[in-house]
């Protein structure tokens, strides 16, 4: 059984056919989808989707892109959502120095606030790190004591992956692992112990081969699984079972 550990089903690109997309995920052998929030609106949508669909779980949080819009009362609302049974993580949170859509010091402050929040509510975190490897690692080391979590859509080096593992975190890979030129990510997959590896789509983004250029969806997580299985010289089913078990363990999903 497969589990898409990071999706954005709340995205408006699914407004026309969201139910069919979820039905295709079930038909494609998925047992679960974790829908990550990115701002207050999408977090609310994630909570709603999880309440309505047995196979959907939610994470709630403020993405670094939207850090500039975070208000004090948002943290109380995030904490309240975290008390709901199908809200299993705080995320996605982190730093994004590629787009810099929020000032870096604001991204940093909102990230730290949500690390504190995760510790208070006792939930793992889902980290977004784009071109901010050193600062994300330093922040998690300094401010993330006692937290569990995952570096989603990992884009760092093998050396960075080792740091992430030392912190007790998981490494998650998405569609880019299927790209022919993904040598660095392939080396990471081989360096991470199987029990610390997650797979995801990050849909509607990061569509794997052979669907590049089209909208991504949770059912496509099997192409990520197949690529990772080939890299590790495993059967697809065995890889899927291991990654699913890891996802459920990290997020406390029974
Ligand atoms: Ni995402």
């Amino acid at each position: 059984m497969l589990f898409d550990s990071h999706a954005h089903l709340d995205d408006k690109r699914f407004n026309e056919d969201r139910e069919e997309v979820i039905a295709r995920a079930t038909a494609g052998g998925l047992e679960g989808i974790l829908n990550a929030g990115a701002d207050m609106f999408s977090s609310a949508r994630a909570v709603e989707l999880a309440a309505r669909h047995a196979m959907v779980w939610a994470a709630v949080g403020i993405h670094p892109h939207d850090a500039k819009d975070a208000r004090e009362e948002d943290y109380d609302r995030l904490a309240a959502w975290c008390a709901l049974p199908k809200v299993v993580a705080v995320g996605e949170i982190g730093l994004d120095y590629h787009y810099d859509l929020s000032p870096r010091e604001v991204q940093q402050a909102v990230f730290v606030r949500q690390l504190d929040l995760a510790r208070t509510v006792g939930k793992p975190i889902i980290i977004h790190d784009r071109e901010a490897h050193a600062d994300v690692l330093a922040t998690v080391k300094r401010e993330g004591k006692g937290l569990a979590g995952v570096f989603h859509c990992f884009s760092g080096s093998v050396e960075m992956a080792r740091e992430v593992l030392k912190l007790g975190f998981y490494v998650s890979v998405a569609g880019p692992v299927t790209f022919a030129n993904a040598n660095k990510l392939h080396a990471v997959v081989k360096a991470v112990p199987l029990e610390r590896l997650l797979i995801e789509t990050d849909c509607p983004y990061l569509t794997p081969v052979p669907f590049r250029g089209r909208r991504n969806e949770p059912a496509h997580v099997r192409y990520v699984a197949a690529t990772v299985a080939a890299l590790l010289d495993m059967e697809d089913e065995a890889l899927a079972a291991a990654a699913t078990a890891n996802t459920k363990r990290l997020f406390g999903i029974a």
Side-chain angles (χ1 to χ4, degrees), residues 6-8 36 63 92 128 152 200 202-203 205:
H6 191 112
H8 299 282
H63 190 286
E92 58 187 291
H128 171 98
H152 117 81
E200 61 169 288
D202 201 21
C203 66
Y205 316 105

Side-chain angles (χ1 to χ4, degrees), residues 214-237:
R214 291 201 251 161
R215 183 190 68 178
N216 198 4
E217 64 175 69
H220 295 344
V221 76
R222 74 187 177 90
Y223 296 96
V224 176
T227 304
V228 171
L231 286 165
L232 299 180
D233 200 18
M234 292 174 69
E235 298 291 335
D236 292 8
E237 291 73 22

Side-chain angles (χ1 to χ4, degrees), residues 53 71 106-107 116 130 134 145-146 163 185 188 201 223 229-230:
H53 294 278
R71 295 167 309 169
V106 175
Q107 294 187 36
D116 292 341
R130 185 134 185 220
K145 295 209 171 54
E163 293 286 308
L185 187 52
V188 166
T201 60
Y223 296 96

Side-chain angles (χ1 to χ4, degrees), residues 16-26 217:
E16 300 296 308
D17 63 349
R18 190 169 287 106
E19 303 303 315
E20 288 122 84
V21 167
I22 294 171
R24 274 202 295 277
T26 308
E217 64 175 69

Side-chain angles (χ1 to χ4, degrees), residues 132-142 151 160 163-164 167:
H133 301 329
D135 283 1
V136 167
L137 264 182
T139 305
V140 173
K141 275 184 194 163
R142 199 178 60 240
F151 280 66
M160 182 183 170
E163 293 286 308
V164 165
L167 291 169

Side-chain angles (χ1 to χ4, degrees), residues 130-180:
R130 185 134 185 220
E131 293 172 27
H133 301 329
D135 283 1
V136 167
L137 264 182
T139 305
V140 173
K141 275 184 194 163
R142 199 178 60 240
E143 310 280 352
K145 295 209 171 54
L147 293 177
V150 58
F151 280 66
H152 117 81
C153 189
F154 189 79
S155 58
S157 62
V158 168
E159 291 69 36
M160 182 183 170
R162 294 211 171 98
E163 293 286 308
V164 165
L165 295 166
K166 248 190 269 170
L167 291 169
F169 278 65
Y170 290 72
V171 171
S172 181
V173 295
V177 79
T178 67
F179 303 168

